Amino acid sequence: MFTERWFLEQVWKEKRQGHVWRVRSAGNKRGYFKFATKDQWYFSGPMIANELIAASLAKRLGFPVSELELATVRGPNGIPQEGLISREIDAAEVITWRDADETVKSAPEQHVDRHELLAQMVVFDAWITNIDRAKGRNLILYRNSSDERYGWYLIDHGHTLYGSPRKWKRGAWNTPIWDQLWRFYNVPQGLLACQSNSDTLEPMIRKIEEMRLADIDAAIRCVPRGYMQSRERQFIKRLLLFRQQRLRMVIDRWLQYAGEKECNT
């Protein structure tokens, strides 16, 4: 999975769950380089494994996701650091959903390609217990001219699946809180209207219900040795199979819930 040489452009974020650097490849491609130290385990968990497995599952379900690759990048001190590159798509305009114009958020069906698939994102996030989609920073829009509809792809799945030990302070993975989607997940602003139709969500529910054990195992196996312990591998497999069986109930409850379900910031 090491395919290109990448170089540091900017130390972008330093958070308790890990570090993010802006990087550029020898071929002049841009991306974001993520890594976490052992001292950050409580907040980061097996971040790279979470990212790789979630991206593999998303692709199997037809969702566009950022291209990922393992890489080594020299930091500001010149010391090599291993981590994960999320490639940025090459387009004239690349923005987060959060930064999109209000006209786009109020009528995504008019401005965004494959808007029905975008609406089904909530089903995927419910399955993988994604706690980090709400503010729309992890949904990317892109286009090459202002008269085009936006394409889109998903990024940043470090808090999905196993997440980190901190994630499960809410409750163990098989407790009722995780059946109440609204307690850990808010829809990015503007998407709730198109996600509230059960007919729109049904195809993705069925698709996940019908996913074979072999496909789930293949997604988990995509993580190279050294990035995940056996107990984490077993945890993720149990979680996916457990939630696969409960997914229809989780989404039905979410559709019926009358409280706040959309992020308003």
Side-chain angles (χ1 to χ4, degrees):
M1 296 183 71
F2 293 83
T3 60
E4 280 200 69
R5 294 182 63 196
W6 292 84
F7 302 93
L8 173 67
E9 282 198 326
Q10 179 189 3
V11 174
W12 191 46
K13 293 181 180 179
E14 293 183 336
K15 302 185 290 186
R16 57 187 179 179
Q17 62 264 39
H19 304 257
V20 185
W21 298 347
R22 294 183 190 269
V23 293
R24 188 178 292 273
S25 75
N28 208 33
K29 302 296 184 181
R30 296 191 61 184
Y32 293 84
F33 178 71
K34 300 174 65 174
F35 67 94
T37 66
K38 290 181 179 178
D39 292 340
Q40 293 173 307
W41 172 261
Y42 178 74
F43 297 100
S44 68
M47 178 180 64
I48 289 175
N50 293 327
E51 290 271 11
L52 292 172
I53 296 169
S56 178
L57 292 171
K59 288 180 180 179
R60 290 171 187 275
L61 293 169
F63 289 104
V65 291
S66 59
E67 291 299 321
L68 303 177
E69 62 183 82
L70 295 171
T72 298
V73 179
R74 290 188 180 274
N77 55 8
I79 297 175
Q81 175 64 56
E82 287 189 9
L84 187 71
I85 300 282
S86 174
R87 286 176 175 253
E88 182 177 276
I89 197 163
D90 187 11
E93 181 184 358
V94 183
I95 59 173
T96 67
W97 178 267
R98 183 180 186 179
D99 294 331
D101 191 271
E102 291 303 318
T103 58
V104 176
K105 296 177 184 177
S106 63
E109 69 280 2
Q110 297 179 22
H111 300 280
V112 181
D113 282 337
R114 305 173 75 190
H115 67 275
E116 288 192 351
L117 181 61
L118 178 58
Q120 294 169 3
M121 176 183 70
V122 64
V123 183
F124 175 60
D125 284 340
W127 184 36
I128 62 175
T129 61
N130 190 356
I131 61 173
D132 194 30
R133 190 84 73 192
K135 295 183 179 180
R137 290 189 292 254
N138 299 334
L139 169 58
I140 303 300
L141 301 178
Y142 65 92
R143 61 184 180 181
N144 284 307
S145 66
S146 59
D147 59 352
E148 288 182 353
R149 293 166 67 92
Y150 282 104
W152 58 275
Y153 61 95
L154 308 178
I155 66 167
D156 200 355
H157 296 101
H159 295 297
T160 67
L161 303 169
Y162 185 95
S164 69
R166 180 174 181 266
K167 175 178 178 177
W168 306 106
K169 288 294 183 181
R170 292 173 170 83
W173 62 276
N174 56 357
T175 53
I177 183 175
W178 300 101
D179 291 340
Q180 299 165 3
L181 183 58
W182 58 89
R183 295 185 64 179
F184 66 91
Y185 181 89
N186 284 327
V187 172
Q189 185 180 17
L191 286 178
L192 185 62
C194 62
Q195 291 176 326
S196 296
N197 184 332
S198 60
D199 290 340
T200 298
L201 304 185
E202 174 63 23
M204 187 54 61
I205 295 172
R206 273 202 317 273
K207 204 166 187 179
I208 293 173
E209 287 177 334
E210 294 168 0
M211 184 173 282
R212 300 175 304 161
L213 176 59
D215 293 325
I216 293 173
D217 282 337
I220 295 173
R221 285 198 306 271
C222 79
V223 180
R225 182 172 300 185
Y227 289 95
M228 181 171 54
Q229 299 294 322
S230 176
R231 64 178 180 273
E232 295 144 17
R233 186 184 306 271
Q234 293 168 6
F235 179 102
I236 290 171
K237 183 173 180 177
R238 286 198 307 267
L239 175 72
L240 288 170
L241 293 175
F242 181 77
R243 294 190 66 77
Q244 184 184 39
Q245 298 301 316
R246 302 176 71 81
L247 184 60
R248 181 173 298 275
M249 174 270 292
V250 170
I251 296 300
D252 285 346
R253 285 186 180 181
W254 180 77
L255 288 169
Q256 294 166 20
Y257 179 65
E260 185 64 47
K261 296 189 287 189
E262 185 177 71
C263 182
N264 293 315
T265 59

